[in-house]
Amino acid sequence: MQITDPTPHTTEASRATARRQQILAAAAQCFREHGFHGASIARISKIAGMSAGHIYHYFENKEAIIAAIVAQDLETLLTLTAELRAACNVRHALIERAAEGVLDQLDPDSAALKVEIVAEAARNSHVAQIVREADATCRRELMVTIRAIRSAAGHDDTPEATADMVEVLAALFEGLLLRTIRNPELDRKHVAQRIQLAINDLLDQPG
Amino acid sequence: MQITDPTPHTTEASRATARRQQILAAAAQCFREHGFHGASIARISKIAGMSAGHIYHYFENKEAIIAAIVAQDLETLLTLTAELRAACNVRHALIERAAEGVLDQLDPDSAALKVEIVAEAARNSHVAQIVREADATCRRELMVTIRAIRSAAGHDDTPEATADMVEVLAALFEGLLLRTIRNPELDRKHVAQRIQLAINDLLDQPG
DNA sequence: TAACATAGAATGAGCGTTCGATCTAGAATA
DNA sequence: TATTCTAGATCGAACGCTCATTCTATGTTA
């Protein structure tokens, strides 16, 4: 299966961007199916519908493609937490959104790539840096959100306590990535409900 | 049909087992540092202190080494849940053990390998099968344990509800593997305490 | 001596990457 | 308008290297 570009490119710039995106889409598919090291430039180029050599017109090397994929994946996470923070009744918004977020995390295809990214971060310092910076931003956002919810409920937590709660919340969510791979038959809807309950309890934990 | 002696000389047998273990230890280190596909037989053999070709005296191919590493890693998980199940006051045992288990999960070195295994399971059906069988066993054990705790507290849950709770518990634990990679600076002791509280709440959720 | 342990070279495939040759579309020019 | 020029897009062959695996020869030991 080959990824073709359906949009005609009026300018040179858009053509180049489209081509880049085409490569990234092909690479994401390959990385999902074979991992960062198992996916070859030859395979990526075949799916992207261009020669292997031509890939190097748009990316310096394979590492740069990996970095771009990682950055792209993390960007969606960043917008999600930012969006969450913007909601007016934050507690309600958080718990409502949670069910949706849980189902997203439980999609096996996207989970595979996300897990691959963390695995790569454990051994590739460049990827680790990108991942950790994005994570730090997310945590900061979540800390503000959770602090707002908690102080509305009369809790005056230390920053450390808030950070710990964020970690538990994050573990809960990210753990789903592993669960959907280890147990693809799990009941997605009911697990989402249980997670909502657990988040609710977490927000009421003593300081 | 000729029957050969099933028990060869102990020295030969132990020597072979030791050599096998030597290879597995070297492979585990390489897989942690470079991933399953990034680690070469040459590198593994160098760390194991033998020639590359000699590895094939003990393992059919690289895939067999991966399978052995995966099976070995999952075995420790199986004994842990079995051990948990054997405790008399299960609720107390579960929560006590939890803190210890959390700290184990937060060890970055072992986390890297565990995450690598799940990432490989997402694309290698042989590894997936091993992982999913072990996971099913763990879930079955945990379901019995949780059901015992819940019914002692007066809850009569459906098997489905219990399975969902197990999923949340598992997600919480396994999520820590990703957290310790994404945020190595997290406060391990305090996060462990928060997790204990969360598990406590989970066990009191409505049916 | 017989059987096993081990080394290390050989093999062929595939890797990431480079590079020079072609193609193509639009600007410049006549 | 017709022709030439040009710069980027694109290809595909080639390179040097490493990979997993096999094979052969040599120790080693009982």
Side-chain angles (χ1 to χ4, degrees), chain A residues 3-202:
Chain A
I3 298 171
T4 50
D5 179 13
T7 60
H9 357 75
T10 49
T11 72
E12 291 172 16
S14 77
R15 181 190 193 86
T17 332
R19 225 77 172 105
R20 254 186 82 99
Q21 210 53 41
Q22 204 172 337
I23 294 170
L24 288 183
Q29 181 184 327
C30 285
F31 290 157
R32 236 182 282 121
E33 290 172 7
H34 308 281
F36 284 130
H37 294 285
S40 69
I41 296 288
R43 222 189 304 244
I44 293 171
S45 73
K46 190 166 285 178
I47 291 182
M50 69 185 68
S51 73
H54 194 40
I55 298 254
Y56 290 83
H57 252 251
Y58 297 98
F59 293 93
E60 194 192 343
N61 50 31
K62 194 179 171 184
E63 170 89 11
I65 302 179
I66 294 177
I69 292 274
V70 170
Q72 188 174 261
D73 186 275
L74 293 178
E75 206 167 321
T76 70
L77 189 68
L78 288 174
T79 60
L80 188 98
T81 54
E83 189 180 298
L84 210 61
R85 167 129 181 63
C88 37
N89 178 353
V90 274
R91 177 161 192 154
H92 185 256
L94 187 74
I95 304 220
E96 273 301 296
R97 265 269 184 229
E100 206 174 323
V102 167
L103 294 179
D104 278 354
Q105 294 283 89
L106 288 175
D107 172 58
D109 263 13
S110 75
L113 185 54
K114 285 175 204 292
V115 172
E116 180 69 26
I117 288 174
V118 181
E120 181 70 10
R123 62 182 110 96
N124 177 330
S125 65
H126 184 196
V127 169
Q129 192 194 332
I130 302 175
V131 165
R132 283 173 193 155
E133 272 168 22
D135 192 74
T137 306
C138 284
R139 274 185 282 119
R140 249 176 276 122
E141 291 280 342
L142 270 178
M143 276 184 70
V144 177
T145 305
I146 285 188
R147 173 146 186 84
I149 295 174
R150 295 273 297 176
S151 71
H155 291 97
D156 184 28
D157 305 320
T158 64
E160 288 77 21
T162 313
D164 295 338
M165 278 184 240
V166 167
E167 281 301 330
V168 176
L169 189 66
L172 201 48
F173 263 88
E174 293 174 25
L176 297 171
L177 299 174
L178 305 180
R179 293 311 306 153
T180 197
I181 295 172
R182 281 189 141 135
N183 177 22
E185 278 90 26
L186 56 77
D187 184 331
R188 286 165 169 71
K189 257 176 69 181
H190 286 120
V191 167
Q193 288 175 4
R194 287 270 166 215
I195 297 265
Q196 282 184 307
L197 286 175
I199 294 174
N200 207 53
D201 290 340
L202 180 67

Side-chain angles (χ1 to χ4, degrees), chain B residues 98-141:
Chain B
E100 206 173 325
V102 167
L103 294 179
D104 278 354
Q105 295 283 91
L106 289 175
D107 172 57
D109 263 12
S110 76
L113 186 54
K114 284 177 204 294
V115 171
E116 180 69 26
I117 287 174
V118 181
E120 181 69 11
R123 60 181 111 97
N124 178 330
S125 65
H126 184 196
V127 170
Q129 192 194 333
I130 302 175
V131 165
R132 282 172 193 155
E133 271 168 20
D135 192 73
T137 306
C138 284
R139 273 185 283 121
R140 249 177 277 123
E141 292 279 343

Side-chain angles (χ1 to χ4, degrees), chain A residues 160 164 168, chain B residues 187-195:
Chain A
E160 288 77 21
D164 295 338
V168 176
Chain B
D187 184 332
R188 287 166 168 70
K189 257 175 70 181
H190 287 121
V191 168
Q193 288 174 3
R194 287 271 164 212
I195 297 265

